[in-house]
Amino acid sequence: MLSFVASRIARAALTIGFVVTFAFVVLRLSGDPALLIMSVDAPPEAIEAFRKSWGLDRPIWEQYLAYAINALSGDFGNSMRDGRPAVDLVLERVPMTLAITIPAFMIKLVLGIPAGIFAALYRNSALDRLTMMVSVAGFTVPSFVLALLLVLVFSVQLGWLPSSGNDGWQSAILPIITLGVSGAAILARFTRSAMLEVLGQPYIRTASAKGVPWRRVVADHALPNAAIPTVTIIGFMVGSLIAGAVVVESVFAWPGVGRLLVSAVANRDLAVVQAILLAIALSMVAANLCVDLAYGWLDPRLRRGRAQH
C-alpha cells in the first residue's frame, strides 16, 4: 500500500510539473503582455523598460528556469498589474469561491445520489422517467444558460434575489443553485447507471434467491459495489470546485478565483494565471489521489491485488 501511495504521489508531482510548464510556455508564446498592459501607443522605451523589469526580454528557457527556482522556494511571482504576490491575490479569492462551491457540492450529493439510486431501484417507472428527464435537462443545459434563466426569473421577474455581485448571503443563492443543479444531474445519471449494472450481477440474484431481504441486498451488496464508479465522478467534482466556478462567477460577477482567472487572462497577468492553474492542478491531483485510496477501502480485492504486486 505504501508503494502504491508513493507511486501515486510521484505521478501527481509529474502531473503538476507538466501543467506548470505547459501553462508557462503557452502564456508566453500567446502574446506580449507588455503591449497589452502598456498599450501599443506607449513609447518604445517604456515598453522595453517594462519587459526588462519583468524579465520578458530574456529567452523563454531562462525565464522558466528562474520561475522554477523561485517556485521551489515558494515565490510564484508578482502581479504585473499591482505588483502584489500572485499567491496572495489567489488566496484572497479562495474563500469566496468555496462559499458557493461547497454548498453546491453538498446539493449535488444530497440530490444526485438518492435520485440515481431510486431511479435504478424503480427502473422504467414514472419516478425513473421523471428523474432521467430532469437529469438530462440539467446535464445538457450549459451552466451560463441556466444562470441567465435563474436571473431572469428570480431577479428580473420576481425581484427576490440579487442578480450579481456580493451583497450578502442572498447573492450566493443563485450561483449555488446553478452549480448544484447541473452537478446533481450528472451524479444522478452516473449513480443510476452504476446501480443498474450492479443489480444485474449474479450475486445479487443469488442473495435474493437465498431469501435475504431486499433492503439488505441493496444496502450490503448493491450500494457498496455501485459506490466505486460513483466515487470517481465525486472525486472529479471535488477536484474541480475551483475550476468549475469560472463561468458561474463570471455570469454573477462573484468575486472568486474563477472571475480572477478570467480577468488575469484578459489582462495577460502571467503570474496570477500560473498561480491559479497551479491551485487547480493541486486540487485535481489531490482529489484523484483520494479517489484511488477510496477504491482500496471500498473494494478489498483492490487492496489484495496491490499487495501482491
Side-chain angles (χ1 to χ4, degrees):
M1 191 64 179
L2 290 177
S3 61
F4 168 77
V5 174
S7 65
R8 290 295 179 177
I9 292 176
R11 183 184 300 179
L14 290 176
T15 301
I16 293 172
F18 173 78
V19 171
V20 172
T21 303
F22 180 79
F24 186 94
V25 174
V26 169
L27 285 172
R28 279 154 180 78
L29 294 180
S30 59
D32 188 356
L35 296 178
L36 179 61
I37 296 176
M38 298 291 294
S39 82
V40 293
D41 297 329
E45 297 81 7
I47 296 178
E48 187 61 30
F50 180 89
R51 292 195 184 105
K52 187 174 182 179
S53 63
W54 290 99
L56 299 175
D57 59 330
R58 293 182 292 175
I60 190 171
W61 67 267
E62 289 188 10
Q63 297 181 45
Y64 178 76
L65 183 61
Y67 174 79
I69 294 174
N70 293 332
L72 291 176
S73 62
D75 180 9
F76 294 93
N78 297 330
S79 169
M80 292 181 178
R81 284 288 174 177
D82 55 16
R84 296 179 57 196
V87 174
D88 292 349
L89 293 174
V90 175
L91 292 178
E92 286 179 359
R93 301 292 189 99
V94 169
M96 296 302 299
T97 295
L98 296 181
I100 61 173
T101 54
I102 291 180
F105 178 72
M106 300 306 297
I107 291 176
K108 297 174 188 179
L109 297 182
V110 172
L111 294 182
I113 293 179
I117 292 174
F118 284 107
L121 294 177
Y122 298 96
R123 185 181 183 181
N124 296 326
S125 66
L127 174 63
D128 182 23
R129 289 192 291 270
L130 177 62
T131 302
M132 288 301 96
M133 181 178 66
V134 174
S135 64
V136 168
F139 177 76
T140 55
V141 175
S143 58
F144 71 91
V145 174
L146 178 59
L148 294 177
L149 289 175
L150 292 175
V151 169
L152 179 63
V153 174
F154 293 101
S155 298
V156 178
Q157 298 294 333
L158 299 176
W160 290 354
L161 297 170
S163 61
S164 62
N166 178 25
D167 298 325
W169 62 270
Q170 296 93 339
S171 300
I173 294 178
L174 292 183
I176 291 173
I177 293 176
T178 303
L179 292 171
V181 168
S182 59
I186 297 173
L187 193 55
R189 288 174 57 84
F190 271 88
T191 304
R192 178 182 181 274
S193 299
M195 281 292 294
L196 288 177
E197 182 177 356
V198 171
L199 291 174
Q201 296 299 317
Y203 59 83
I204 297 294
R205 295 192 295 269
T206 301
S208 299
K210 289 181 178 180
V212 179
W214 181 243
R215 290 185 178 180
R216 286 194 56 191
V217 173
V218 173
D220 297 342
H221 300 283
L223 288 179
N225 288 281
I228 294 176
T230 304
V231 164
T232 303
I233 188 63
I234 292 177
F236 177 79
M237 289 179 175
V238 172
S240 62
L241 286 179
I242 296 177
V246 173
V247 175
V248 174
E249 288 184 0
S250 299
V251 173
F252 291 103
W254 185 260
V257 176
R259 192 179 179 199
L260 177 63
L261 176 60
V262 173
S263 174
V265 171
N267 295 326
R268 305 289 300 153
D269 203 343
L270 304 183
V272 176
V273 176
Q274 291 166 185
I276 295 175
L277 293 179
L278 177 61
I280 294 174
L282 287 172
S283 62
M284 293 293 293
V285 167
N288 288 331
L289 179 60
C290 291
V291 166
D292 287 333
L293 297 179
Y295 281 167
W297 177 69
L298 291 170
D299 191 346
R301 295 172 299 177
L302 297 178
R303 292 199 298 268
R304 289 194 294 268
R306 289 165 186 163
Q308 293 172 358
H309 291 294

